[in-house]
């Protein structure tokens, strides 16, 4: 009689192990990448994403997750590269501070965090914030880099509910970014 509980436990364990091989992880990321190299910059981005027309001020490049396009046609997960219109020789910290002093006077924008980081061995500034609109709350990560006399901003955005899930994709772009 004492063998039966052991056999039942063994059979149950075998069943769990065999079923676990059939379960897939929906959050796995696609390991393929694509490479962008135009407009004097280059970077890698997720292979399932697309390049997009960068139409905002000072835009150099944009890539978007086509699976995140809202009913309005706007992507909700994206990376936008901008080249600042600051004058040559401008101090990046001064331009950064002025930008966010103005931005955060609008109550739709709320700062989440700020940090000094290193990207490809160079000093960079990072600002993470949320933007509340009538349709959704977006979270943004802006990484500021200075190359030669130019300031670049890598703006990564996603719905606030998906922002942390997108960090590997955002890091792929940020960590591979170079000025040609």
């Amino acid at each position: 009689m004492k063998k039966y509980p052991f056999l039942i436990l063994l059979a149950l364990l075998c069943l769990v192990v065999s079923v676990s091989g059939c379960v897939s992880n929906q959050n796995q990321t696609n390991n393929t990448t694509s490479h962008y190299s135009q407009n004097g910059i280059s970077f890698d981005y997720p292979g399932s994403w697309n390049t997009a027309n960068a139409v905002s001020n000072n835009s150099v490049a944009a890539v978007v997750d086509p699976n995140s396009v809202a009913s309005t046609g706007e992507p909700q997960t994206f990376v936008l590269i901008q080249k600042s219109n600051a004058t040559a020789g401008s101090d990046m910290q001064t331009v950064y501070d002025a930008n966010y002093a103005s931005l955060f006077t609008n109550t739709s924008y709320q700062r989440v965090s700020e940090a000094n980081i290193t990207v490809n061995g160079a000093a960079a500034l990072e600002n993470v914030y949320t933007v509340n609109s009538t349709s959704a709350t977006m979270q943004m990560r802006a990484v500021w880099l200075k190359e030669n006399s130019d300031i670049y901003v890598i703006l990564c955005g996603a719905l606030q509910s998906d922002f942390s899930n997108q960090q590997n994709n955002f890091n792929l772009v940020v960590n591979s970014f170079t000025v040609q």
Side-chain angles (χ1 to χ4, degrees):
M1 287 259 171
K2 294 195 180 213
K3 283 190 198 180
Y4 292 116
F6 176 72
L7 291 175
I8 292 171
L9 181 61
L10 184 60
L12 185 60
L13 184 60
C14 288
L15 180 63
V16 168
V17 170
S18 65
V19 170
S20 68
C22 299
V23 177
S24 67
N25 183 355
Q26 295 294 336
N27 292 328
Q28 286 180 330
T29 57
N30 185 343
N31 289 331
T32 63
T33 61
S34 293
H35 186 74
Y36 180 93
S37 183
Q38 293 178 16
N39 300 326
I41 62 168
S42 69
F43 57 89
D44 295 329
Y45 61 96
S48 61
W49 287 26
N50 297 328
T51 58
N53 290 333
V55 294
S56 67
N57 291 342
N58 307 318
S59 297
V60 179
V63 291
V64 301
D65 179 355
N67 296 320
S68 74
V69 176
S71 60
T72 60
E74 297 294 321
Q76 295 180 318
T77 302
F78 62 89
V79 176
L80 176 69
I81 313 291
Q82 295 176 306
K83 186 175 178 182
S84 173
N85 62 356
T87 59
S90 294
D91 176 61
M92 182 170 66
Q93 185 72 52
T94 302
V95 175
Y96 171 92
D97 290 343
N99 180 75
Y100 291 109
S102 173
L103 185 71
F104 292 128
T105 60
N106 182 333
T107 58
S108 296
Y109 294 84
Q110 297 296 316
R111 185 184 323 265
V112 173
S113 67
E114 234 179 337
N116 292 315
I117 62 172
T118 302
V119 176
N120 294 328
L125 302 171
E126 179 183 73
N127 198 310
V128 177
Y129 57 94
T130 60
V131 181
N132 295 311
S133 70
T134 55
S135 60
T137 299
M138 299 288 293
Q139 191 156 347
M140 305 292 190
R141 174 183 174 200
V143 176
W144 291 60
L145 304 153
K146 186 165 186 176
E147 284 289 330
N148 304 319
S149 62
D150 294 316
I151 298 171
Y152 291 88
V153 180
I154 305 170
L155 182 63
C156 309
L159 289 173
Q160 186 176 29
S161 60
D162 191 39
F163 185 78
S164 63
N165 295 332
Q166 296 297 331
Q167 290 309 302
N168 287 339
N169 294 327
F170 296 157
N171 288 337
L172 174 64
V173 175
V174 170
N175 294 330
S176 65
F177 179 82
T178 58
V179 175
Q180 301 171 329

